[in-house]
Amino acid sequence: MDLFGGKLHFEPRNGRVIGDRQNFDSLLWSMVTVFQILTLEDWNVAMYNVMASTSMWAALYFVALIVVGKNVLLNVLVGIMFESYKAIMSQVQQNPANLSSSSIESSASREDDEDHSPPLTDEPSTSTSEATNENNKHLCIQRVLRWFKEHEDWALYCFSPQNRCRVFCQRLIAHKAFDMSILAFILMSCITIAMERPGIRPKSKERLILDICSHLATGVFLIEMVVKVIALGLLVGKESYCRSLWNIMDGLLGILAFVHIFIKLFTSGKNNMMGILKVLRLLRTLRPLRLIKRTPKLKVAIETLIMSAKPLGNIVLSCCVFLLFFGILGVQLFKGRFNYCEGEDTSNITNKSDCLAANYHWARKTYNFDSLPQALLTLFVMYSKDGWVNIMYDGLDAVGVDQEPVKNYNTWMLLYFIPFMILSFFLLDMFIGVLVETYHQCRQEQRQGNQELEEEGLQSQHQEQEQVPYYTSYSTIRRAIHRLCTSRLLDLFTNFIIVLNVFILACEHYNQPEYVGRMTDYALYVYILIFILELLLKIVGLGFKRFLKCRWNQLDFVIVLCSIISITAPINPSILRVCRLLRLAQVVKTTKIRTLCLTISKTLTQVGNICLLFLFCFFIFAALGVELFGKLECSPEYPCLGLHRYSTFRNFGLSMLTLYKVSTGDNWSGILKDTMRTCRPGDDGCLSFLFWVSPLYFLVFVTMAQFVLVNLVVAIIMEALDDSRTETTQTHQNKGLHQEEKELQPQPTSTSRSGLVEETSRV
């Protein structure tokens, strides 16, 4: 407020002075603006406006605010929430509720006894014929039940275990080529789904090829299901087909694909079946789910999410209660008040009647509180931190039912929006805490299984440490060079040279004087000489093979080699600049940055499963988005708020790019608005059910991408940081113990050896 108060006022073309909504004119609006910047909602717009009104140095204020407030304080809040959740979970685990199951077992045993007890007759029969008939029926039922029980091992009660067809099917599904061929057809089906787009002509060759590939894949999947049912059985048996949920999913997808083909072939030209065809066409995008069973890494990631489903369900339930409370309150406060008048000049419009009298359009905001479902959708958009500021401004400007909004009419409504956003931070941090704790438990179970292997590895490392050092046979000069190469002094000197090199390279700029260019060239020669000297010293001190075993030394060797080639060889100057910038990579050689790099490298191996899950989720939703929103068009008469040329669902590639934009939280609320638009008359590409399908589509995707999968990556990184910290402490402890053992052991000298020889000779 002291720096920028009263300075964010701009003059438009008509001469009026307009103040920005994001300002520092008072303590209230300064706090609101700071809170908005902490949520990263249009913070760059506020920074650019301040820089345009004051000076370029105003950017330091915003950078410091984001670094300290967003990246430090809010992450401290995440840590506090995680520790509190961990403490609560530990208390729950220490005092579990031991519910006795004796009553359940007793009731089950009673039911079994009742089932196996002989049937009781009500009254003696009046005639012997009725008794004989009942006895015959009872005997027939017993024979049928006995036959079914004796043939439990038979597949479909038709194929015995020794049946040739069944034995052949069992051998077929056990062969590796069977799974590989099915996987190939699944990949082919995924490719055909990715190639689908609304612009394909019905009678073109591309349409024919895609239909043939789809029908072929469907036939193969049905044959696979039949073969597995014959080999394993359908329902009865420990390893029957329906005992596995993955098999049930595969079978349902195959049957739905066959039904889609059947209805399409035999009901062509009938409009009454078009709705069923559209639904089955949308369900066809779920075919990539068959990849989960056949991809081990993807299956592990899915199982991890399934394990965290119970605690996540509790958090989701808490979020639903939280949204329901604020939704009901929002309906009571703002119902019927998020309307406005669309026209050229609305300065004199005060209500709906004035708007209609001026031949303007009385419109309603897409995100409003007119009903509870609308309020829940609006609050979810605010919860995702995308577009919440505009919704808050609409609430502050709301006057009444059928009244034109007035700027900042009721600032007390900040007490509704700001507490909601503050509580949303806590709920989002609870997501992170649950996923971190669940992943930590999974990792502990894996470590318990691999504890013996780790102990064997530590024993082998300890034996390797007890071996004689490799540099004992070096000469005096080479040992001194080795001591210099492994000393702390050389690392500090090279780090100082690298930092100085960074500052020299940072001095280059456009239209620079000649002395700056000469200075950077001379500095380049000096640095190359220093790095060559360091490289030669390390090769002599360590040996060439031992030198190349370290990846950091390999990086130094490549950088020095590229620098020498850039100076000696007549090449493009731009390549020379690239080689100069390669030397900046030596900054990561510092100890702390090296530890972080090792942590990142360890994390990438574990994040691979999550990345595969990301790709799988994006694939399904991208194919579904093409089917749902592929025909949506934006025009000057019917403009879009989020969709544009490179953010659309016209084909699979652009759909993937659009979903990646949605996952980052960049104007996904505008894209949702475009997909919820009412259909124009005569627009065949617009689907009438998008108004309620589109929110469901984006709610599920945003929840998976922004709240679950991203936070699971955070959990993996935190676990990797803990692992790296424990490894460094263990290595330091092992080094200290090894050094103490060396000091306690007597060091043999020449005199001691001669004394031992004399003693042995005397004996």
Side-chain angles (χ1 to χ4, degrees):
M1 186 172 61
D2 290 334
L3 293 174
F4 315 120
K7 296 181 180 180
L8 296 179
H9 296 278
F10 305 95
E11 290 188 6
R13 293 180 180 179
N14 55 6
R16 291 185 303 172
V17 177
I18 297 178
D20 191 11
R21 299 291 287 262
Q22 304 171 8
N23 57 68
F24 299 85
D25 296 344
S26 63
L27 182 62
L28 175 63
W29 286 108
S30 182
M31 293 178 68
V32 172
T33 304
V34 168
F35 184 77
Q36 175 187 343
I37 293 170
L38 291 179
T39 60
L40 300 181
E41 176 64 19
D42 290 339
W43 72 271
N44 54 339
V45 176
M47 182 182 68
Y48 294 149
N49 291 335
V50 171
M51 290 170 63
S53 301
T54 57
S55 66
M56 299 290 293
W57 294 100
L60 297 176
Y61 170 83
F62 293 89
V63 172
L65 178 59
I66 290 175
V67 171
V68 176
K70 177 66 174 66
N71 299 331
V72 177
L73 294 180
L74 292 182
N75 288 330
V76 170
L77 178 63
V78 174
I80 293 172
M81 292 292 296
F82 170 67
E83 290 297 330
S84 61
Y85 177 80
K86 189 175 181 181
I88 293 172
M89 289 298 296
S90 62
Q91 291 178 2
V92 171
Q93 290 176 1
Q94 289 176 2
N95 299 319
N98 296 322
L99 298 176
S100 62
S101 59
S102 59
S103 60
I104 300 174
E105 292 177 356
S106 62
S107 62
S109 62
R110 289 174 184 174
E111 291 177 357
D112 293 338
D113 294 337
E114 290 176 359
D115 292 337
H116 293 290
S117 60
L120 299 176
T121 57
D122 296 336
E123 293 180 356
S125 59
T126 57
S127 62
T128 57
S129 61
E130 294 180 356
T132 54
N133 290 330
E134 289 181 359
N135 291 329
N136 292 331
K137 291 180 181 178
H138 184 67
L139 290 174
C140 292
I141 293 172
Q142 286 184 348
R143 289 175 183 175
V144 171
L145 293 176
R146 190 182 301 112
W147 186 87
F148 277 108
K149 189 174 182 180
E150 291 175 354
H151 293 77
E152 285 182 353
D153 297 336
W154 290 40
L156 300 174
Y157 296 103
C158 298
F159 300 94
S160 65
Q162 293 79 23
N163 187 276
R164 293 182 180 181
C165 181
R166 187 177 182 185
V167 172
F168 173 76
C169 292
Q170 289 176 351
R171 292 178 180 177
L172 182 62
I173 64 174
H175 202 277
K176 293 182 179 180
F178 182 78
D179 287 336
M180 295 301 294
S181 59
I182 297 298
L183 182 60
F185 279 101
I186 292 173
L187 293 176
M188 183 187 71
S189 178
C190 293
I191 293 172
T192 56
I193 291 172
M195 293 177 65
E196 290 284 350
R197 62 186 187 277
I200 302 176
R201 296 179 180 178
K203 296 183 179 180
S204 61
K205 292 183 179 180
E206 184 179 3
R207 178 79 274 164
L208 180 62
I209 293 172
L210 291 178
D211 289 341
I212 290 174
C213 292
S214 178
H215 298 346
L216 181 62
T218 302
V220 171
F221 297 154
L222 288 176
I223 293 172
E224 177 204 7
M225 183 179 67
V226 171
V227 169
K228 286 188 175 181
V229 167
I230 294 174
L232 304 175
L234 183 62
L235 294 172
V236 183
K238 296 181 179 180
E239 297 181 356
S240 61
Y241 186 82
C242 292
R243 293 278 179 165
S244 175
L245 295 177
W246 304 109
N247 290 335
I248 295 174
M249 181 187 66
D250 292 346
L252 287 176
L253 291 175
I255 292 171
L256 289 175
F258 177 75
V259 172
H260 175 259
I261 295 173
F262 180 81
I263 295 176
K264 186 177 179 181
L265 290 177
F266 292 96
T267 61
S268 59
K270 297 181 181 180
N271 295 325
N272 55 354
M273 302 298 291
M274 293 302 294
I276 299 176
L277 284 174
K278 288 180 180 179
V279 173
L280 293 175
R281 188 175 180 84
L282 293 177
L283 293 175
R284 189 183 61 173
T285 57
L286 299 176
R287 284 187 184 179
L289 290 172
R290 298 171 61 91
L291 282 173
I292 298 176
K293 181 182 177 182
R294 295 162 179 85
T295 309
K297 292 184 178 180
L298 189 59
K299 191 175 180 180
V300 169
I302 293 291
E303 290 175 353
T304 304
L305 286 180
I306 292 174
M307 290 181 63
S308 61
K310 184 177 180 180
L312 281 178
N314 298 329
I315 303 301
V316 171
L317 183 61
S318 302
C319 293
C320 291
V321 174
F322 166 71
L323 293 175
L324 186 64
F325 172 76
F326 275 90
I328 295 173
L329 183 59
V331 171
Q332 299 298 322
L333 292 174
F334 305 110
K335 58 182 178 181
R337 299 185 180 185
F338 275 45
N339 297 325
Y340 65 100
C341 185
E342 286 184 347
E344 296 179 357
D345 186 10
T346 59
S347 58
N348 297 323
I349 302 298
T350 58
N351 51 33
K352 181 179 179 181
S353 59
D354 294 341
C355 180
L356 297 177
N359 293 325
Y360 293 157
H361 177 62
W362 186 253
R364 184 179 64 175
K365 299 285 185 180
T366 305
Y367 302 119
N368 54 72
F369 293 87
D370 291 351
S371 63
L372 185 59
Q374 290 282 346
L376 294 177
L377 178 62
T378 304
L379 291 176
F380 183 81
V381 172
M382 294 181 62
Y383 181 75
S384 66
K385 311 295 186 299
D386 180 52
W388 75 271
V389 176
N390 295 326
I391 298 173
M392 181 184 68
Y393 290 156
D394 293 337
L396 299 181
D397 300 342
V399 176
V401 179
D402 294 337
Q403 297 291 322
E404 179 69 12
V406 177
K407 183 178 179 181
N408 295 336
Y409 177 78
N410 193 355
T411 55
W412 288 101
M413 290 303 169
L414 289 170
L415 297 177
Y416 174 82
F417 294 99
I418 300 299
F420 175 82
M421 297 305 298
I422 292 174
L423 292 175
S424 67
F425 280 114
F426 288 96
L427 290 176
L428 187 60
D429 295 341
M430 290 174 67
F431 268 100
I432 300 174
V434 169
L435 289 170
V436 169
E437 184 64 22
T438 306
Y439 186 78
H440 181 68
Q441 292 177 0
C442 295
R443 291 287 295 168
Q444 280 185 345
E445 293 177 357
Q446 292 179 358
R447 287 170 186 166
Q448 290 177 359
N450 298 329
Q451 188 175 4
E452 297 179 356
L453 297 175
E454 290 179 358
E455 291 178 355
E456 293 178 358
L458 290 174
Q459 290 179 0
S460 62
Q461 290 179 1
H462 186 68
Q463 292 177 0
E464 291 178 357
Q465 290 178 356
E466 291 180 352
Q467 294 179 359
V468 180
Y470 64 89
Y471 53 84
T472 53
S473 61
Y474 285 179
S475 62
T476 306
I477 298 175
R478 189 176 180 185
R479 189 176 297 177
I481 295 173
H482 179 272
R483 193 179 299 111
L484 177 63
C485 294
T486 57
S487 65
R488 179 68 175 168
L489 182 62
L490 184 62
D491 287 338
L492 292 175
F493 177 73
T494 52
N495 290 334
F496 173 74
I497 295 298
I498 291 168
V499 172
L500 187 61
N501 184 19
V502 171
F503 280 109
I504 294 296
L505 289 175
C507 293
E508 295 184 358
H509 57 277
Y510 180 66
N511 288 332
Q512 63 184 6
E514 293 183 1
Y515 69 89
V516 176
R518 281 194 248 101
M519 181 182 65
T520 54
D521 291 337
Y522 294 153
L524 171 65
Y525 301 145
V526 174
Y527 296 148
I528 289 177
L529 289 176
I530 293 173
F531 294 145
I532 289 173
L533 181 61
E534 178 197 6
L535 198 68
L536 293 176
L537 288 175
K538 287 186 176 181
I539 291 174
V540 173
L542 301 175
F544 191 73
K545 291 183 179 180
R546 192 171 287 106
F547 173 81
L548 291 179
K549 285 183 180 179
C550 181
R551 294 182 179 179
W552 303 106
N553 294 334
Q554 295 175 8
L555 177 64
D556 293 342
F557 184 77
V558 172
I559 292 172
V560 171
L561 185 62
C562 292
S563 300
I564 294 172
I565 293 173
S566 64
I567 294 175
T568 57
I571 57 177
N572 193 0
S574 60
I575 301 177
L576 175 62
R577 297 189 186 96
V578 172
C579 294
R580 289 183 182 180
L581 293 176
L582 282 175
R583 298 201 305 277
L584 299 180
Q586 291 182 338
V587 177
V588 301
K589 289 175 59 179
T590 57
T591 306
K592 294 183 179 180
I593 299 179
R594 188 183 301 178
T595 304
L596 292 177
C597 291
L598 291 174
T599 303
I600 292 172
S601 64
K602 290 181 180 179
T603 306
L604 289 177
T605 58
Q606 300 176 9
V607 174
N609 299 336
I610 308 302
C611 292
L612 191 62
L613 185 59
F614 258 111
L615 182 62
F616 180 75
C617 179
F618 273 58
F619 187 93
I620 292 179
F621 277 90
L624 191 59
V626 172
E627 294 291 339
L628 290 174
F629 318 117
K631 294 183 179 180
L632 292 179
E633 295 182 357
C634 302
S635 61
E637 296 81 12
Y638 209 57
C640 296
L641 299 174
L643 296 175
H644 53 82
R645 181 180 178 184
Y646 299 108
S647 179
T648 182
F649 293 91
R650 291 183 180 178
N651 54 54
F652 182 79
L654 290 176
S655 181
M656 289 281 286
L657 184 62
T658 305
L659 289 179
Y660 182 76
K661 178 182 177 181
V662 171
S663 66
T664 60
D666 182 22
N667 196 24
W668 78 268
S669 58
I671 298 174
L672 177 58
K673 287 181 182 179
D674 295 335
T675 56
M676 291 174 61
R677 295 184 301 182
T678 56
C679 296
R680 293 175 294 175
D683 189 2
D684 298 333
C686 182
L687 302 177
S688 59
F689 55 84
L690 286 184
F691 183 78
W692 60 270
V693 171
S694 177
L696 183 63
Y697 173 86
F698 283 97
L699 289 180
V700 174
F701 179 77
V702 170
T703 303
M704 287 292 297
Q706 295 187 17
F707 300 150
V708 178
L709 296 180
V710 172
N711 292 329
L712 191 59
V713 174
V714 173
I716 293 173
I717 293 173
M718 292 180 67
E719 187 69 20
L721 285 171
D722 290 337
D723 293 342
S724 62
R725 184 171 62 251
T726 54
E727 286 179 2
T728 51
T729 53
Q730 287 178 0
T731 52
H732 286 305
Q733 290 176 359
N734 293 331
K735 286 182 180 178
L737 292 173
H738 188 62
Q739 188 67 25
E740 290 179 358
E741 290 178 357
K742 279 187 175 181
E743 292 177 355
L744 291 174
Q745 290 178 359
Q747 299 293 333
T749 58
S750 60
T751 55
S752 62
R753 288 175 183 172
S754 61
L756 289 173
V757 172
E758 291 178 358
E759 289 180 359
T760 51
S761 62
R762 290 174 184 175
V763 173

